[in-house]
Amino acid sequence: MDERQLRILRELGELGSVTAVAEALLVTPSAISQQLRLLQRSMPVPLTERHGRRLVLTDAGQALAGAAIEVETALARARHTVEEFVDRPDGDVSVAAFHSAASTFFPLLLRGLAAPGGPRLAFGDEDVPQDDFPRLTRDYDLVLAHRLDHAPPWPRTVTATTLLREPLDVAMPADHPLAVRPSLRAADVADEPWITVHDGFPVMATIEAIGAAAGRRLHLAHRINEFAVVAEVVAAGGGLALIPRWTTRPHPALVLKPLDGVRALRHIDVLHRPERTARRAVRTVLAELHRAAGTVTGRA
């Protein structure tokens, strides 16, 4: 049985005929009769009987129709509870981000949503390969993910909007011979040792593109995912690295140079399952993320 069938049974008891029930529910009499037959199949005793040309409820039918009132009341109460939950401005909202996005956006969210009565934030750092970001939307309301500018789009199972399209610059010590140049090409940096991410992470594809543009394989001296650690290793003379322009904290001993001739650009996208934004609190956090992105690039 389902809610609609119980309502039809209740209406039949009150209105007294299939035709009257059909008119009240704006459907055909045959549709009402079909639902009553389906309901009867799930019951061990007759729910209706004929009195002349009229279909009326049996004692069992009347008992079930009475119970239907309680069911409708409980369902109405449950819907109201859900509506209150969905519309709460101070609901819990979980946000995941990879490390450099977390260090940039988490403080901005805390400051931007600090007023009383706003969403209650719960953060998690998730440094995963690109293909694993969509799976995180099972556990978090919003997931900050990164992918290269020319990478395939995210799967249709998640909704994605772009917060930033962030250049990846070549980081080097301030006293490096290449530091005096306004920009660099692949051939300029192809013979240097490199510090880069592990396989499966987006920056690796740009490293490979630099090697392809220069016509030789780069020497990958170190594999480090955390850009704060990368910056320290570069500053100590461990090699060059690609570092995001806006979401990595500036290092006093480093300079960043743009790369010409290679598409060195990453998207920072926010992923979520479509139903998550039915909640007012989640929409509030999502809007604040987009506002915060403007402050990161200096647009706001």
Side-chain angles (χ1 to χ4, degrees):
M1 73 179 75
D2 61 30
E3 177 190 1
R4 181 173 177 79
Q5 292 167 355
L6 289 175
R7 185 182 180 192
I8 288 171
L9 190 72
R10 176 185 175 187
E11 296 290 350
L12 180 61
E14 293 180 1
L15 298 177
S17 74
V18 169
T19 300
V21 174
E23 291 175 354
L25 299 183
L26 302 178
V27 296
T28 64
S30 62
I32 296 297
S33 298
Q34 181 184 24
Q35 291 300 313
L36 288 172
R37 286 194 295 271
L38 291 173
L39 177 60
Q40 181 63 71
R41 290 177 189 173
S42 64
M43 294 292 113
V45 294
L47 299 175
T48 61
E49 61 186 5
R50 288 284 176 184
H51 276 193
R53 299 181 62 184
R54 295 177 60 243
L55 187 68
V56 298
L57 301 186
T58 63
D59 290 343
Q62 290 174 3
L64 185 57
I69 298 174
E70 297 178 15
V71 171
E72 286 198 56
T73 301
L75 288 172
R77 188 179 300 116
R79 291 191 190 96
H80 180 66
T81 300
V82 171
E83 288 167 0
E84 284 187 332
F85 168 74
V86 165
D87 200 45
R88 284 187 63 177
D90 62 343
D92 296 326
V93 180
S94 57
V95 184
F98 59 96
H99 292 153
S100 58
S103 65
T104 298
F105 284 97
F106 287 177
L108 292 173
L109 285 178
L110 286 172
R111 297 185 188 107
L113 298 171
R120 294 188 298 269
L121 297 168
F123 296 139
D125 65 322
E126 296 281 357
D127 191 31
V128 299
Q130 180 174 328
D131 291 345
D132 289 343
F133 279 112
R135 298 189 187 98
L136 295 176
T137 60
R138 288 198 297 264
D139 302 318
Y140 295 92
D141 294 310
L142 301 170
V143 175
L144 273 63
H146 54 134
R147 66 180 179 88
L148 293 182
D149 188 47
H150 56 279
W154 300 107
R156 294 181 180 179
T157 54
V158 299
T159 298
T161 57
T162 297
L163 295 176
L164 296 176
R165 295 177 73 245
E166 182 176 30
L168 300 171
D169 294 328
V170 180
M172 64 190 66
D175 60 356
H176 193 283
L178 294 174
V180 298
R181 300 192 184 184
S183 63
L184 302 171
R185 299 187 64 81
D188 300 328
V189 297
D191 295 325
E192 300 280 341
W194 278 84
I195 306 155
T196 190
V197 297
H198 295 276
D199 290 333
F201 291 80
V203 175
M204 192 60 210
T206 303
I207 293 291
E208 294 169 349
I210 293 172
R216 52 193 179 276
R217 185 184 298 272
L218 302 185
H219 169 47
L220 306 182
H222 310 285
R223 294 293 191 110
I224 303 170
N225 275 14
E226 173 52 59
F227 286 119
V229 180
V230 170
E232 295 297 338
V233 176
V234 173
L240 305 184
L242 288 177
I243 285 186
R245 183 176 298 176
W246 298 313
T247 58
T248 300
R249 184 171 300 175
H251 192 292
L254 300 185
V255 295
L256 302 183
K257 297 294 178 178
L259 191 61
D260 295 333
V262 175
R263 293 176 66 181
L265 194 71
R266 74 172 181 177
H267 286 218
I268 297 181
D269 297 332
V270 55
L271 313 182
H272 61 84
R273 296 197 170 192
E275 65 273 15
R276 300 287 181 134
T277 50
R279 294 176 53 214
R280 178 180 173 184
V282 175
R283 295 196 303 273
T284 298
V285 177
L286 183 58
E288 184 62 24
L289 278 170
H290 282 279
R291 191 201 67 77
T295 70
V296 171
T297 62
R299 295 193 307 266

